[in-house]
Amino acid sequence: MPRDLRAALLAVHGPARLRLAGPLGDPVAVLRLLRDGGRTPLRSARELLDELREFGLSGTAVEMAWWRVRLGELGVAAEVEAGFGRAYRYVGPPELWEWATASGDPGPVGRPARTAVGRPVRTAAGFVSWADGRAAAEFAEPFTFVVDLGGALRLAPRRSEHVACAGGEPVLSAGEIGFRRSGGGGWEVGTVSNLSTGYCPDVVSWPAVAAALDQLGLPHPGGFTQAVAFRRCTRCGQCGIVREGHYVCVFCDADLPERWNVDEVSVDEVAVS
């Protein structure tokens, strides 16, 4: 489906998840389905196969229902379940989105073809492997992160663009995160924020972050240590950050709404599209 419509559906309804409900069966047949049905290169299809086996796939409810039927035709049982609430579309400069996704046709389930620069970390062992591969000096500052539609934490160096970290996809949350060694020698989260001017996620996106960190077994503060309130001015249309609780636009001095409104999408708008 068109990218804008897909992103709007995710923003209104949130992502759905497709999980196996039985044996995979013939992996070659499933691989062929993922390649041909999604019109994607073999390498990308293999990555999707691995995701399907281990964690499931994610996208709009329509997309996941389509894949469930196609898998069923191969004798593979799968079920579709709802994920977290809404997803956040990229709302930053268009040229950055184009750069982050400029490698050809969309892949299966609507994802851009360019591989995200954000390293997906889905298990405790995966996080340890990622951390062991970083120089100690890198932990002196926070990393860029997003929580992708599948609920996985994706990590990249701090000055990376969030849209590149996510490969241009909508996200469940985004911001900056700092890790440190705990007293017992393991890793824990020291700081975490929703500071992403590319996605401007609401502070209520925290549960998606917490779930991703819990999946990695990482102790965390229980909330954003820096909770950023993004708002779009209803007078001038500029998006900014609420400073010190003053809901006033820094561009035109108009009052800002108290609830998040950066990228509002109504069900009617999606239906019309």
Side-chain angles (χ1 to χ4, degrees):
M1 65 181 66
R3 174 180 66 88
D4 290 344
L5 175 57
R6 179 176 187 270
L9 285 168
L10 290 167
V12 172
H13 301 292
R17 298 182 183 180
L18 177 74
R19 299 187 188 278
L20 293 176
L24 179 66
D26 182 0
V28 175
V30 175
L31 181 64
R32 188 180 299 115
L33 169 65
L34 294 172
R35 182 195 65 190
D36 298 340
R39 299 186 301 279
T40 185
L42 181 60
R43 179 179 178 181
S44 297
R46 286 174 176 155
E47 293 175 354
L48 283 176
L49 181 60
D50 289 341
E51 288 185 27
L52 177 62
R53 278 172 161 163
E54 298 182 40
F55 311 103
L57 303 179
S58 60
T60 67
V62 173
E63 290 167 340
M64 295 305 98
W66 188 89
W67 283 111
R68 182 182 63 80
V69 172
R70 299 285 82 79
L71 287 169
E73 293 171 350
L74 297 178
V76 179
E79 55 188 17
V80 178
E81 59 186 33
F84 287 94
R86 64 159 296 147
Y88 295 88
R89 301 186 293 182
Y90 176 69
V91 293
E95 59 270 19
L96 287 182
W97 190 92
E98 293 170 1
W99 168 80
T101 59
S103 66
D105 296 331
V109 301
R111 71 178 56 184
R114 169 173 285 189
T115 301
V117 301
R119 164 81 176 271
V121 183
R122 296 186 175 91
T123 65
F127 177 81
V128 171
S129 175
W130 172 84
D132 287 347
R134 313 270 76 75
E138 293 185 61
F139 291 93
E141 61 181 18
F143 293 87
T144 290
F145 84 87
V146 301
V147 178
D148 67 22
L149 295 179
L153 189 72
R154 288 183 175 269
L155 297 166
R158 183 184 187 184
R159 291 169 181 79
S160 303
E161 294 289 345
H162 284 95
V163 66
C165 185
E169 278 280 83
V171 300
L172 300 180
S173 190
E176 295 184 344
I177 188 167
F179 303 101
R180 66 190 179 195
R181 289 285 188 180
S182 63
W187 289 100
E188 65 182 9
V189 176
T191 60
V192 57
S193 76
N194 62 318
L195 181 57
S196 168
T197 56
Y199 286 98
C200 300
D202 195 3
V203 295
V204 299
S205 65
W206 168 254
V209 181
L213 296 175
D214 290 341
Q215 183 172 300
L216 304 180
L218 288 173
H220 54 73
F224 291 120
T225 55
Q226 179 188 4
V228 181
F230 293 100
R231 295 293 187 274
R232 187 175 297 282
C233 179
T234 56
R235 177 191 292 174
C236 69
Q238 294 291 331
C239 182
I241 296 174
V242 175
R243 304 287 184 181
E244 299 180 350
H246 297 297
Y247 285 76
V248 177
C249 177
V250 297
F251 301 99
C252 71
D253 290 330
D255 291 337
L256 295 174
E258 293 191 4
R259 66 180 183 84
W260 187 90
N261 70 331
V262 174
D263 182 32
E264 293 184 311
V265 182
S266 70
V267 176
D268 290 341
E269 288 179 271
V270 174
V272 170
S273 299

